[in-house]
């Protein structure tokens, strides 16, 4: 870990008690990092994870536009509370807000006092020999899959926008799923 890596300061940040607002996206390259930071902080904190990337850098994507607008509002609320002492209720709200995908570009909010969200169970999914998903490891065996090498998410990855490459612009992959290609 290099000297310019924020992780090298994790103990000092955690022990400082400084208030931290973690803002991340499910499509971000640093999704896990955002969640790990939140899990390891002991001072006042908030966590928002939404269905957007690191940017936002895609003005055509409603999720990205929602992220930009919401982030501005939340930054102002956070600064008003912690820097000006304005009792705007931000610290009375649940500490965690998760944007959960519905369909297409729709998402709903789930809030909780902490992450991982209490009551949610981690599940292992198993692929059965008849190409189905199962919660039980029964019916396991072998299955043949034909790999379609033309199936792609395009020339861009979740890292693309982070380095100034513009929007992700992932194609609709529903056709790949329908023909059983992986």
């Amino acid at each position: 870990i290099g000297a310019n890596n924020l992780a090298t300061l994790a103990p000092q940040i955690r022990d400082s008690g400084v208030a931290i607002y973690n803002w991340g996206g499910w499509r971000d390259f640093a999704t896990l990092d955002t969640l790990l930071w939140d899990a390891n902080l002991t001072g006042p904190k908030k966590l928002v994870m939404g269905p957007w990337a690191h940017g936002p850098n895609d003005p055509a994507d409603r999720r990205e536009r929602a992220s930009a607008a919401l982030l501005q509002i939340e930054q102002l609320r956070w600064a008003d509370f912690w820097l000006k002492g304005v009792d705007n209720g931000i610290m009375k709200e649940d500490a965690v807000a998760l944007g959960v995908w519905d369909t297409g570009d729709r998402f709903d909010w789930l809030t909780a006092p902490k992450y991982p969200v209490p009551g949610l169970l981690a599940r292992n999914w198993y692929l059965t020999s008849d190409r189905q998903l199962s919660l039980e490891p029964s019916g396991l065996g072998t299955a043949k899959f034909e790999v379609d090498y033309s199936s792609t998410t395009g020339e861009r990855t979740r890292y693309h926008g982070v380095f100034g490459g513009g929007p992700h612009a992932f194609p609709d992959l529903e056709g790949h799923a329908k023909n059983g290609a992986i």
Side-chain angles (χ1 to χ4, degrees):
I1 297 176
N4 64 343
N5 188 322
L6 194 56
T8 62
L9 300 174
Q12 294 93 326
I13 294 170
R14 183 184 56 245
D15 296 342
S16 73
V18 68
I20 295 181
Y21 200 129
N22 279 300
W23 184 272
W26 299 119
R27 295 169 50 199
D28 191 341
F29 78 100
T31 300
L32 180 59
D33 304 84
T34 304
L35 297 172
L36 287 172
W37 270 107
D38 185 73
N40 286 286
L41 294 170
T42 56
K45 61 184 180 176
K46 298 273 292 183
L47 168 67
V48 169
M49 293 295 294
W52 42 70
H54 191 74
N57 62 12
D58 186 352
D61 188 323
R62 287 181 30 196
R63 293 169 293 202
E64 299 290 322
R65 289 194 314 267
S67 171
L70 186 57
L71 180 58
Q72 290 177 0
I73 293 167
E74 289 298 287
Q75 286 174 332
L76 182 59
R77 292 179 69 219
W78 190 255
D80 279 350
F81 181 82
W82 288 103
L83 300 178
K84 294 182 179 178
V86 176
D87 188 6
N88 56 19
I90 194 165
M91 295 308 291
K92 295 174 186 160
E93 300 166 359
D94 277 336
V96 174
L98 307 174
V100 181
W101 267 297
D102 185 354
T103 57
D105 61 359
R106 284 187 36 82
F107 60 93
D108 296 311
W109 289 102
L110 167 71
T111 62
K114 65 181 184 169
Y115 188 88
V117 176
L120 291 184
L121 301 173
R123 302 274 181 154
N124 290 323
W125 287 88
Y126 302 91
L127 184 61
T128 66
S129 59
D130 60 348
R131 297 181 175 202
Q132 301 296 312
L133 289 175
S134 172
L135 289 171
E136 300 296 326
S138 60
L140 298 180
T142 60
K144 283 189 167 185
F145 290 90
E146 182 178 327
V147 177
D148 179 355
Y149 291 102
S150 69
S151 294
T152 177
T153 59
E155 299 175 357
R156 299 176 180 182
T157 70
R158 61 186 3 197
Y159 295 93
H160 189 79
V162 175
F163 300 109
H168 288 83
F170 290 148
D172 183 352
L173 299 176
E174 191 171 339
H176 293 310
K178 285 181 179 175
N179 72 15
I182 58 170

